[in-house]
Amino acid sequence: MEAIRSVVNTLSSPTIFFSLSVIVFIAMFTFRKWVEPRYAALIVAGAVIFFAASMFDSDFRLIVTKPDNVPIAGMLFLVGFFSWVGLKQAFENDGRIAQGLGPAEKDETEQKVLVWPDLVYSEFICLIILSVVLLAWAILLQAPTEEPANLTRSPNPSKAPWYFLGLQEMLVYFDPWLAGVVFPSLIILGLMAIPYIDVNSKGNGYYTFRERRWEILIFMFGFIVLWILLVIQGTFLRGPNWNFFGPYERWDIHKLLPLSNVNLSEFIYVKWLPNLGYKGGLPKFWLWREIWGMLLVIAYFMLPPPILARTAFRRFFEKMGFIRYNVMVFLLLFMIALPIKMYLRWAFNLKYIVAINEFFFNI
């Protein structure tokens, strides 16, 4: 048992956990037989058994049964269930379309259902079930109210509400102006821009994956991997002092990790160039000090669009045109910047690529 605990805690380290999550995400769309009920039932049974067996561990039970965390634990199963439902219908429709039958939703539109009593009865039954669940929830779980706020005593860890934990996790890797302002704004603007960027009429009114492969992959990656996953990390794996803890690891407030966050300019002028004979040290003038990081950021946003337009995204460029294509790639590069920065922090303790403290401008 102790060996299993150790393995699970090791796999929960940020680099391994995130990498495994990406692999599982890719497998969701590669090995499509998992959506068949028999295989999906085995996956659910395995998850339930793992969750139930983990409840015997006091550290795991202490975190999962906190009133704040119970709905998030339930959310994991709900996200998995509805993702399964949507992908199952999409894969089935792909098979029907390949056979020339058309999507299943086309057959359903020919069957008319009355609002009264069919729809109203269904909604009323859902209302009763939801009311019973909320009443049982309120009786069995105490409201997570705490003592009045005290300026001299802050909770450790001090966490935002669950729906902001993704943003709080991003604050570890980016400056507040990026993680708290730029990224949320781009998320909202990007979602608003989807109908204008993606004008493909296929998939309207029915589930499909083959006809909307890139669109679904990008959206699901942003939602599941870059949002739900960050919520999971912030809820179950971030403990005192915002350190990472395994699910079977006690949240020890005295746990201290030796962190040496280094900026890219310090890597270049202090660690790398001295090996080539450079002895000038870190330049004091911000432009010469951060020029390499600035060039790297400019290259990151300027080079991929034309290169992809001639290679992997050539079809998108021809179909979407210059403006819509560049808006799409710009938003995509911003989205990919998050996992890139996460890996750089975890693997190399890289804090900022550009660190201009003179103007409070850090990337």
Side-chain angles (χ1 to χ4, degrees):
M1 187 64 181
E2 189 62 32
I4 297 177
R5 286 162 49 95
S6 178
V7 170
V8 173
N9 286 335
T10 301
L11 295 178
S12 299
S13 63
T15 307
I16 299 176
F17 178 71
F18 190 85
S19 301
L20 290 177
S21 300
V22 174
I23 293 173
V24 171
F25 175 81
I26 296 173
M28 285 173 52
F29 299 94
T30 304
F31 305 101
R32 303 185 182 184
K33 283 196 172 183
W34 73 272
V35 300
E36 295 182 9
R38 54 179 178 174
Y39 297 118
L42 290 176
I43 296 174
V44 173
V48 171
I49 292 173
F50 174 80
F51 188 84
S54 298
M55 292 297 289
F56 290 98
D57 183 86
S58 58
D59 298 320
F60 182 90
R61 184 172 63 252
L62 181 64
I63 302 304
V64 174
T65 57
K66 289 181 61 177
D68 282 338
N69 297 344
V70 170
I72 304 176
M75 179 192 69
L76 301 181
F77 290 95
L78 290 176
V79 170
F81 172 75
F82 287 110
S83 298
W84 170 76
V85 171
L87 290 176
K88 181 177 181 296
Q89 296 183 43
F91 294 154
E92 289 178 350
N93 278 341
D94 289 340
R96 290 174 57 92
I97 293 173
Q99 298 174 9
L101 301 176
E105 287 81 358
K106 183 178 179 181
D107 297 336
E108 294 177 359
T109 55
E110 299 176 358
Q111 302 176 3
K112 295 184 179 181
V113 179
L114 298 175
V115 174
W116 174 268
D118 301 280
L119 177 61
V120 176
Y121 274 12
S122 299
E123 293 177 341
F124 183 66
I125 293 172
C126 291
L127 172 64
I128 294 175
I129 296 174
L130 186 58
S131 299
V132 172
V133 171
L134 290 177
L135 285 173
W137 191 338
I139 294 172
L140 296 176
L141 290 178
Q142 297 296 321
T145 54
E146 299 180 1
E147 62 183 13
N150 188 344
L151 293 176
T152 62
R153 184 180 179 182
S154 299
N156 188 8
S158 183
K159 295 186 178 182
W162 69 269
Y163 43 84
F164 282 142
L165 281 178
L167 295 178
Q168 188 172 5
E169 182 67 19
M170 285 194 289
L171 285 169
V172 178
Y173 314 103
F174 294 96
D175 241 23
W177 71 276
L178 269 174
V181 179
V182 175
F183 276 110
S185 301
L186 286 176
I187 291 172
I188 297 173
L189 292 175
L191 292 174
M192 294 170 59
I194 287 177
Y196 305 97
I197 297 175
D198 177 24
V199 295
N200 182 7
S201 60
K202 293 183 178 180
N204 290 346
Y206 61 93
Y207 288 90
T208 179
F209 176 72
R210 185 173 299 165
E211 296 178 352
R212 306 297 295 272
R213 184 179 289 106
W214 278 101
E215 295 85 350
I216 294 175
L217 284 173
I218 292 173
F219 180 84
M220 295 287 283
F221 183 83
F223 175 64
I224 295 179
V225 179
L226 298 184
W227 189 253
I228 298 298
L229 193 64
L230 294 186
V231 172
I232 296 173
Q233 286 184 352
T235 303
F236 302 110
L237 303 181
R238 286 290 192 179
N241 305 318
W242 211 244
N243 289 325
F244 269 104
F245 291 82
Y248 303 133
E249 186 178 357
R250 183 171 296 276
W251 283 15
D252 185 3
I253 194 173
H254 302 293
K255 178 180 179 180
L256 296 176
L257 298 178
L259 298 177
S260 56
N261 294 327
V262 183
N263 298 324
L264 179 62
S265 57
E266 295 170 339
F267 270 112
I268 294 175
Y269 288 105
V270 179
K271 291 190 174 184
W272 296 340
L273 289 183
N275 295 329
L276 301 177
Y278 175 79
K279 299 181 180 179
L282 196 65
K284 294 183 178 180
F285 184 48
W286 62 268
L287 181 58
W288 307 134
R289 185 183 70 237
E290 304 300 331
I291 186 65
W292 304 107
M294 295 167 67
L295 291 175
L296 184 62
V297 172
I298 293 173
Y300 175 77
F301 284 102
M302 296 297 294
L303 295 181
I307 294 175
L308 291 174
R310 293 178 175 272
T311 55
F313 286 1
R314 184 172 182 177
R315 181 173 62 88
F316 290 104
F317 180 75
E318 295 174 350
K319 182 179 179 180
M320 301 175 67
F322 180 80
I323 296 178
R324 288 195 296 130
Y325 166 80
N326 281 280
V327 171
M328 180 198 71
V329 176
F330 174 77
L331 294 173
L332 183 62
L333 289 173
F334 256 100
M335 185 175 73
I336 299 176
L338 176 58
I340 291 176
K341 191 67 181 297
M342 291 164 65
Y343 274 112
L344 291 175
R345 175 63 67 90
W346 296 333
F348 305 104
N349 285 331
L350 179 66
K351 186 176 182 181
Y352 294 128
I353 298 175
V354 177
I356 308 178
N357 295 322
E358 293 86 346
F359 302 104
F360 304 101
F361 182 84
N362 302 304
I363 298 177

